[in-house]
Amino acid sequence: MNRGIKRKSWALGAAVSALIVGIWDHSAHALPQDVKDDSELRFIQIGAKNKEERTTIAKTGASVEAVRSDSVWAFANFKQITKLHDQGFQIIGNYDYKTSRGGHERLFDFPSNDSHFHNYNRMLTEIRNLQSKNPDLISLVSIGKSLEGRDLWAIHFNTSPDSLNQGISNKPGIVYMGNHHAREHVSVEVPLMYAKYLAEHRNDTAISQLLENRDVWIIPMVNPDGAEFDVSAGRYKWWRKNRRDNGDGTFGVDLNRNYSYHWGTEGAENDSSAETYLGPAPFSEPETQAIRDFVKSHINLKVLLSFHTFSELILYPWGYSYDGISKTEDLRAYQKMATTMAKWNHYKPQQSSDLYISTGDTTDWAYGELGIFSFTFELSPSGMEGGGFYPGQGIIDKVFKDNLQPCLYLLNVSGNPYQVLDTGSETNWLPNYVQPGSQF
Ligand code: 0X9
Ligand code: ZN
């Protein structure tokens, strides 16, 4: 570890529109004249009422991005949409993301009206500033390099100079990470603001006690290549995966399908053009390898939180199966933690597979292989109405405030997660401003 610091306008339009209005002649399966490329993705709303239907949708290779009680929003290509249609699913609507927000030309950075978001360099400047202001509390550690060679930066908080130097601590540890998915930029901002918050409030009684007794790691950008690519053209590209050249004209592996636990068994796609492409092997990607090696080498880690967007959900294992966690004590602890955190951010706590089954995600691996209590937060907005992946910079402060208390709570309980099973334990350490239901 180093220390220190797709082309023409919608070609599918005619075919997909025909499907959407229900007049597609699927007996012929012929593509209209203007459809030259069936990998073009559409963002569509599909009727689906329960997790079984959502899993069937995910199995076609469509990537389900938002779940409502009667439908889901998903990315799907022509083949997948046809399959869905053949299986009797109703395609209710579609969203033309090419004419949506973010059309303000600013190459290699966020559109000007979203300039509060951090691209890789601005993120790096921010965390370097933080470190230089707090050299006795923070060190910056590169836990590896992305495929395109960008350092994957971790912000390490520890009050012991030795631990800070060595990057290893005996204190109970927690790791927060963001941006496994490129376009989920709010998932970078929240851990970044949280790091700033911890540094700026290091002398507050509760925060200083927590920092004194814990080992804290924050990795705000797990997928910098994807995040940079997403903002490279002066408009958002709606990119999800990393930037692996798959060698067949397609790019990207879904990092949240590339972890090894039950890798590739269900809810991940073998088709390299798919949004949820699992990669050629578990941990085939440098980004997931770096997370694996980091987590495995820090045996003090008790809790992991991976930020994603969007939908306002608190998810816990399993994602690979509808089966619940079999260790009753763990399940009860997970449920207690999830429902407690939901009191603050008002997100919906649920088992990951209640959303849909998928394999190879971070949290199934960290819990399944290493026993670390691991959560996925699907941050705001709650749906497409709120802007989906691109809600605008105006949302950032609120999302951070909604999630500060859950983050601090997890920091506290990482001392011994099983303690949450003791009655009243969720509030007995908290200062007034972080009591459940209270405002920041
Ligand atoms: O599908 C994902 O990777 C996550 N949702 S997102 O919209 N951010 O892509 C959810 C992962 C939850 N895990 C499982 N359902 N296994
Ligand atoms: Zn995601």
Side-chain angles (χ1 to χ4, degrees):
M1 284 196 283
N2 299 325
R3 210 152 292 281
I5 20 173
K6 277 170 180 195
R7 335 155 272 269
K8 59 195 160 34
S9 65
W10 289 113
L12 274 181
V16 174
S17 306
L19 272 177
I20 290 164
V21 296
I23 56 161
W24 173 251
D25 173 13
H26 63 276
S27 56
H29 276 207
L31 294 169
Q33 285 288 306
D34 65 334
V35 178
K36 309 240 170 34
D37 181 350
D38 72 357
S39 66
E40 185 94 53
L41 290 174
R42 299 297 304 233
F43 197 45
I44 55 171
Q45 191 177 14
I46 312 157
K49 290 186 189 58
N50 51 47
K51 61 184 176 189
E52 286 78 11
E53 289 187 353
R54 293 192 289 267
T55 294
T56 308
I57 293 171
K59 274 186 184 167
T60 66
S63 77
V64 178
E65 304 291 349
V67 171
R68 303 160 62 125
S69 56
D70 59 346
S71 61
V72 299
W73 280 94
F75 281 101
N77 62 23
F78 176 74
K79 225 163 72 188
Q80 293 156 351
I81 296 173
T82 306
K83 212 160 162 187
L84 287 164
H85 179 66
D86 288 354
Q87 291 178 352
F89 284 99
Q90 278 231 290
I91 315 296
I92 302 167
N94 81 117
Y95 185 83
D96 188 352
Y97 59 80
K98 293 208 167 162
T99 60
S100 71
R101 294 183 48 83
H104 305 257
E105 204 66 14
R106 230 163 78 117
L107 290 178
F108 306 111
D109 203 352
F110 283 85
S112 49
N113 52 344
D114 269 350
S115 61
H116 291 182
F117 283 93
H118 291 77
N119 64 7
Y120 183 76
N121 277 332
R122 292 183 51 240
M123 179 276 298
L124 192 49
T125 306
E126 201 78 65
I127 65 177
R128 281 188 173 139
N129 276 337
L130 212 56
Q131 195 279 331
S132 65
K133 282 189 200 152
N134 300 275
D136 57 331
L137 179 67
I138 293 174
S139 79
L140 300 184
V141 179
S142 168
I143 63 159
K145 282 192 188 292
S146 69
L147 201 80
E148 291 175 352
R150 294 183 176 89
D151 279 306
L152 303 173
W153 289 106
I155 313 164
H156 184 197
F157 287 77
N158 199 296
T159 54
S160 145
D162 283 350
S163 297
L164 221 46
N165 270 332
Q166 290 153 19
I168 293 288
S169 171
N170 291 326
K171 297 175 189 172
I174 183 165
V175 58
Y176 305 85
M177 46 185 87
N179 189 229
H180 269 76
H181 290 144
R183 61 190 167 218
E184 300 174 9
H185 303 288
V186 176
S187 79
V188 175
E189 300 305 315
V190 168
L192 211 49
M193 285 183 80
Y194 180 55
K196 273 182 87 169
Y197 177 90
L198 290 178
E200 284 166 9
H201 291 77
R202 56 180 294 183
N203 295 321
D204 292 7
T205 317
I207 306 299
S208 78
Q209 265 176 40
L210 287 169
L211 290 172
E212 194 63 47
N213 294 294
R214 300 284 181 272
D215 188 41
V216 187
W217 293 86
I218 301 175
I219 308 170
M221 243 189 222
V222 172
N223 181 12
D225 299 354
E228 287 288 285
F229 179 71
D230 194 52
V231 299
S232 60
R235 61 168 178 82
Y236 293 122
K237 288 178 178 261
W238 290 60
W239 192 255
R240 171 182 174 95
K241 303 186 279 184
N242 74 350
R243 289 296 297 160
R244 165 73 67 192
D245 180 348
N246 296 319
D248 56 3
T250 71
F251 285 84
V253 168
D254 184 345
L255 299 179
N256 215 29
R257 299 292 180 278
N258 193 241
Y259 288 81
S260 61
Y261 198 70
H262 289 265
W263 178 81
T265 52
E266 222 180 311
E269 210 33 49
N270 286 304
D271 172 358
S272 58
S273 72
E275 287 279 88
T276 55
Y277 175 47
L278 43 61
F283 292 117
S284 56
E285 303 312 295
E287 295 87 356
T288 50
Q289 287 166 15
I291 298 293
R292 174 196 62 195
D293 297 346
F294 167 77
V295 173
K296 284 183 89 164
S297 62
H298 291 81
I299 56 172
N300 62 325
L301 293 173
K302 302 268 183 290
V303 174
L304 176 154
L305 172 53
S306 183
F307 292 108
H308 284 252
T309 75
F310 56 93
S311 290
E312 301 189 344
L313 302 170
I314 297 174
L315 304 174
Y316 54 85
W318 301 115
Y320 82 93
S321 161
Y322 295 135
D323 293 345
I325 288 166
S326 57
K327 212 173 151 197
T328 323
E329 203 188 12
D330 285 15
L331 178 61
R332 285 180 49 230
Y334 263 118
Q335 288 170 337
K336 182 73 185 285
M337 288 186 235
T339 52
T340 303
M341 292 190 285
K343 285 184 204 159
W344 290 300
N345 61 15
H346 304 293
Y347 291 3
K348 188 176 168 198
Q350 61 184 47
Q351 181 171 331
S352 293
S353 58
D354 279 352
L355 198 57
Y356 44 79
I357 285 188
S358 67
T359 52
D361 82 2
T362 318
T363 55
D364 271 14
W365 168 78
Y367 176 63
E369 299 262 326
L370 304 166
I372 298 171
F373 279 95
S374 302
F375 295 88
T376 301
F377 279 13
E378 295 284 358
L379 298 166
S380 300
S382 59
M384 281 303 291
E385 311 74 36
F389 299 112
Y390 304 109
Q393 62 189 23
I395 205 173
I396 300 172
D397 280 358
K398 177 175 161 36
V399 188
F400 168 65
K401 284 175 186 171
D402 288 346
N403 288 285
L404 172 60
Q405 293 157 348
C407 285
L408 291 172
Y409 167 79
L410 285 182
L411 176 54
N412 181 47
V413 305
S414 64
N416 172 10
Y418 293 104
Q419 245 174 26
V420 303
L421 296 172
D422 303 344
T423 322
S425 65
E426 70 271 26
T427 57
N428 62 11
W429 65 279
L430 295 164
N432 283 335
Y433 66 94
V434 285
Q435 290 293 326
S438 68
Q439 292 302 303
F440 174 60

